[in-house]
Amino acid sequence: MSKFEHIFFACAAFLVACQRSKQVPAPIQVPLQTDHSFGNADKVRTKHLHLDLKVDFKSKTLSGTATHTLDRQGNDSVMILDSRNLFVDEVTLDDGSKTDFRLGVADSLFGTAIVIPLKPGTKKVNLRYHTDSLSEALQWLNPAQTHDRRHPFLFTQSQAILARTWIPLMDRPDVRFTYSARISCPKELMALMSASNPQQRNDSGIYHFNMPQPVSSYLMALAVGDVAFKPLDSISGVYAEPGFLDSVAWELADMPQMIEKASALYGDYPWGRYDVLVLPPSFPFGGMENPRLTFATPTIIAGDRSLTSLVAHELAHSWSGNLVTNATWNDFWLNEGFTVYFENRIVEAVYGKDFADMCAELEVGELERTVSRMMRENPADTRLALNLKGRNPDDGLTDIAYIKGFLFLKHLEQLVGRPRWDAFLKEYFRVHSFKTITTGTFNDYVQEHLLQTAREAVAAKLNDWIYGEGLPDNAPRPASERMKLAREAAAKYQRSRKPDPAMVKGWVTQQYQHFLRNLPKDINAAELEALDQAFGFSRSGNAEIQCDWFTLAATALYRPAFASMEAFLVRVGRRKFLKPVYEALSATPQGLEMGRAIFKRAKPGYHSVSAGSIAEILHVQP
Ligand code: BES
Ligand code: ZN
């Protein structure tokens, strides 16, 4: 044996010995307890969670401890938590004694169960852990990806099942717990959570949080960045990067009025403060209803307050979703359908009936397209009550939960009349406050407390709406005066194929959206060029219009729009805007090639949920 071979074999033997002495136990088979979680909430649940985490931008990790205070049924049990791409270093029980936890076999979708043996009197379980670059809830941004380009930024997105990628917990919406946290971050930055929040940066870089009302895991949220606060009134305000703060405050100035109208409709605002944090453009959603602190995309800052209904939506979740919560992801429409309905009522109260009807009409147009596509591809998913067992609950994030759910509630409103309906809804929110409920519970509650006569019970068609596919033929059809103008303009264009600049006078965003979505399907690049010259769509700074316009440009391969389209796809990470444009690109071989090249450049700036969806569309690795 040569000297090198000696050393090699000695090292190899040493490594094997080390491995043995560490005795990493083999992963065990752990069954799912619900369609999407390993958490054994029937035996033991978290009553309170305390987090003590350090935010490290260099290593892009969170590290620290999660302490669960338990609510136990009986004494002889283990506690099973969800995790995914998390590293648990040590688990101790209340007296500080270490416990031999075991990990489950990793599931590519649901992650790894953490099985923790409890002692008879155990009241607290303490996990020391850290995240890594695969922890999908987290997006770590470089300064260049922020508005002010001066400091890095971190935000989380937990819904639907990503809380388990940054906190070991029972990641199922029917487990509600209060929480507190101590977050330590770089001194130049401020930390914010879905809880009581600081309004100023401090010099220690240490922030304390408290959420005294029980919330579900998907509402856990953290953001760390160079942000400042501006109050709008005594209970609401906005957070944004300093260079963006004034624009944000101007755009969202109607928030206090929204809170007032919402409370007048369905009961007092239940969470103390309501603030909005406007994030950098890579935020993958339009908004996320994190309690006390909605996270929002900067693409709603249009300069004309035309897109603020998104805030009405996230605010409405303070009742429908955060207060009365879907018990499982199969009941997702209870969160979103109710919220779209409530959003529409807030918009009506603040901006008038025609504006609310216009928004509804635009959405119903989308719903019809979605239903006809889904009836071909996966008709079972057009039911309000879903079956997402074994699937990613994100599959339920479609216009069905949102718009079909909305139309169902609007239908019930029309059936019994507004006064009765509003009284019913207010009571529904009160009775189910801080509870999680299923579609069945809602169905029973409607039969018992809303429908009064046999005629009403028949006309309500509850089962058709909830368990049937497609859209019942008694579905309401909202229509507005303003949308009529956009409809007429689209019809006129269909006939003449010539833009008429006079017709868009005084139009708002939603009218342009309707017009763009109802152009002839076979519109060509030359016709798009004429429209572009008349209306300047390629130069629009309004993300809703950009999305619809670039989708048309991608379909018809209208090249003059490509530079601004690429800039849009690289800067904005909101999945709702990215998907239609990439889908349109992928319809032609030329477009697909371009889409893949753009994605390659844009991907480092996308959050995992957007990157995953776009990779699927383009058939490439996420
Ligand atoms: N809660 C949702 C976002 C969500 C749902 C994230 C499911 C992950 C899984 C939020 O309230 C929402 O619906 N956002 C919409 C905006 C709204 C105005 C329709 C969005 O992000 O586009
Ligand atoms: Zn929502």
Side-chain angles (χ1 to χ4, degrees):
M1 244 197 278
S2 76
K3 200 170 151 195
F4 278 113
E5 281 169 315
H6 260 298
I7 294 173
F8 174 77
F9 282 112
C11 285
F14 177 69
L15 283 176
V16 168
C18 286
Q19 200 57 42
R20 283 208 189 108
S21 73
K22 257 200 335 202
Q23 284 177 338
V24 180
I28 51 177
Q29 283 294 342
V30 181
L32 281 165
Q33 301 280 329
T34 72
D35 287 356
H36 308 114
S37 166
F38 294 107
N40 60 335
D42 54 333
K43 295 271 172 18
V44 50
R45 333 179 133 226
T46 304
K47 206 160 58 179
H48 183 82
L49 172 68
H50 179 74
L51 296 175
D52 187 340
L53 295 176
K54 179 167 183 286
V55 182
D56 183 13
F57 281 90
K58 266 204 206 84
S59 61
K60 299 191 172 166
T61 55
L62 299 180
S63 60
T65 58
T67 304
H68 294 259
T69 305
L70 310 185
D71 180 2
R72 299 179 65 177
Q73 310 292 321
N75 264 329
D76 57 340
S77 56
V78 294
M79 182 179 206
I80 309 179
L81 302 178
D82 293 297
S83 79
R84 186 173 167 202
N85 298 322
L86 274 188
F87 297 86
V88 179
D89 305 309
E90 186 181 87
V91 181
T92 56
L93 303 182
D94 25 16
D95 51 3
S97 63
K98 267 206 219 178
T99 177
D100 283 327
F101 66 96
R102 299 284 301 264
L103 298 180
V105 176
D107 179 285
S108 62
L109 202 48
F110 304 121
T112 306
I114 308 171
V115 183
I116 303 163
L118 303 177
K119 293 182 185 166
T122 305
K123 294 214 165 52
K124 276 189 185 172
V125 169
N126 187 49
L127 298 96
R128 192 155 58 75
Y129 73 100
H130 61 274
T131 64
D132 86 346
S133 60
L134 289 175
S135 299
E136 286 147 301
L138 306 173
Q139 191 176 10
W140 301 87
L141 303 177
N142 305 320
Q145 292 171 276
T146 67
H147 184 277
D148 290 359
R149 298 169 185 270
R150 294 184 47 213
H151 292 281
F153 207 108
L154 161 71
F155 65 80
T156 63
Q157 168 58 42
S158 295
Q159 198 180 8
I161 54 167
L162 298 180
R164 68 189 67 178
T165 73
W166 68 287
I167 308 171
L169 42 53
M170 290 197 190
D171 199 7
R172 41 187 284 183
D174 60 345
V175 174
R176 305 183 78 114
F177 50 85
T178 56
Y179 81 86
S180 50
R182 176 189 184 273
I183 304 289
S184 129
C185 69
K187 290 185 181 56
E188 352 35 287
L189 308 181
M190 183 153 92
L192 298 169
M193 293 191 83
S194 49
S196 59
N197 274 305
Q199 293 185 344
Q200 257 170 349
R201 204 174 56 76
N202 67 42
D203 289 329
S204 68
I206 294 173
Y207 296 89
H208 294 272
F209 302 88
N210 194 25
M211 169 42 80
Q213 292 148 300
V215 296
S216 305
S217 60
Y218 76 91
L219 297 171
M220 295 300 300
L222 170 67
V224 178
D226 177 22
V227 290
F229 174 75
K230 189 163 184 175
L232 294 176
D233 71 357
S234 62
I235 65 150
S236 69
V238 291
Y239 291 88
E241 291 179 61
F244 199 26
L245 189 61
D246 286 337
S247 319
V248 167
W250 183 86
E251 196 88 25
L252 304 186
D254 295 326
M255 250 164 68
Q257 209 194 331
M258 289 181 179
I259 300 169
E260 196 187 299
K261 301 286 188 195
S263 307
L265 275 169
Y266 300 129
D268 290 344
Y269 177 73
W271 302 91
R273 290 196 61 84
Y274 180 76
D275 297 316
V276 172
L277 165 64
V278 175
L279 290 159
S282 67
F283 186 57
F285 291 101
M288 179 63 214
E289 65 270 28
N290 298 318
R292 295 179 72 112
L293 183 66
T294 283
F295 283 17
T297 169
T299 60
I300 57 167
I301 309 302
D304 61 2
R305 297 186 181 157
S306 62
L307 303 178
T308 58
S309 64
L310 183 129
V311 172
H313 177 96
E314 305 311 334
L315 169 66
H317 272 306
S318 306
W319 289 262
S320 44
N322 300 359
L323 189 63
V324 181
T325 309
N326 54 204
T328 79
W329 296 120
N330 295 327
D331 308 301
F332 181 57
W333 81 274
L334 286 180
N335 273 19
E336 297 301 342
F338 270 75
T339 296
V340 173
Y341 177 83
F342 195 172
E343 164 199 345
N344 197 255
R345 293 296 302 275
I346 297 170
V347 167
E348 179 183 320
V350 176
Y351 301 106
K353 181 161 168 16
D354 197 65
F355 192 89
D357 286 343
M358 172 178 67
C359 295
E361 192 177 345
L362 187 69
E363 286 169 345
V364 172
E366 281 310 285
L367 174 67
E368 279 162 354
R369 275 181 273 270
T370 302
V371 168
S372 59
R373 179 176 47 76
M374 288 176 68
M375 286 306 279
R376 290 192 306 270
E377 293 170 1
N378 39 359
D381 285 353
T382 65
R383 301 167 190 210
L384 287 178
L386 290 170
N387 179 4
L388 296 169
K389 190 178 170 73
R391 294 159 65 189
N392 190 330
D394 264 16
D395 288 2
L397 218 171
T398 71
D399 289 335
I400 300 300
Y402 285 78
I403 319 297
K404 183 179 175 182
F406 159 68
L407 287 181
F408 174 35
L409 301 179
K410 205 167 170 62
H411 149 74
L412 292 177
E413 177 208 308
Q414 289 174 354
L415 180 69
V416 303
R418 236 184 214 189
R420 255 174 72 197
W421 171 247
D422 280 352
F424 164 82
L425 260 196
K426 191 170 181 178
E427 187 63 3
Y428 163 82
F429 285 127
R430 193 187 64 77
V431 168
H432 300 100
S433 285
F434 296 106
K435 295 201 163 71
T436 57
I437 69 167
T438 63
T439 302
T441 308
F442 169 75
N443 196 345
D444 294 346
Y445 192 76
V446 169
Q447 296 190 45
E448 219 168 294
H449 298 276
L450 182 69
L451 307 174
Q452 289 175 350
T453 62
R455 187 199 73 83
E456 278 178 4
V458 173
K461 297 205 176 166
L462 295 182
N463 287 334
D464 288 1
W465 274 97
I466 295 174
Y467 303 105
E469 292 175 355
L471 262 188
D473 24 86
N474 63 345
R477 304 270 154 193
S480 84
E481 282 304 311
R482 253 178 285 194
M483 210 45 114
K484 195 165 150 228
L485 298 177
R487 237 183 298 125
E488 285 166 1
K492 184 165 174 217
Y493 183 86
Q494 291 267 8
R495 292 191 300 272
S496 68
R497 296 245 172 179
K498 293 224 162 47
D500 170 9
M503 72 197 183
V504 302
K505 209 167 149 266
W507 272 19
V508 292
T509 307
Q510 290 78 4
Q511 289 170 295
Y512 282 109
Q513 287 179 275
H514 182 91
F515 177 73
L516 290 171
R517 289 173 189 180
N518 289 282
L519 289 172
K521 289 284 152 281
D522 61 347
I523 195 157
N524 62 36
E527 289 166 327
L528 289 182
E529 181 158 32
L531 285 167
D532 208 4
Q533 264 154 19
F535 306 119
F537 288 129
S538 293
R539 280 178 284 117
S540 169
N542 182 308
E544 294 283 355
I545 293 172
Q546 285 173 304
C547 172
D548 287 339
W549 176 247
F550 294 141
T551 303
L552 289 165
T555 306
L557 296 174
Y558 169 55
R559 290 179 192 284
F562 284 1
S564 41
M565 175 181 77
E566 176 161 357
F568 179 75
L569 294 175
V570 170
R571 190 179 62 84
V572 175
R574 184 174 174 187
R575 183 169 66 174
K576 181 186 107 165
F577 292 150
L578 300 179
K579 272 173 81 173
V581 182
Y582 279 108
E583 264 159 14
L585 281 171
S586 66
T588 60
Q590 237 177 322
L592 180 63
E593 198 183 318
M594 187 164 65
R596 285 180 177 161
I598 296 174
F599 180 55
K600 210 166 160 191
R601 212 156 80 69
K603 194 171 66 171
Y606 290 164
H607 185 277
S608 70
V609 303
S610 292
S613 300
I614 304 310
E616 252 176 59
I617 291 170
L618 299 173
H619 303 290
V620 296
Q621 286 296 314

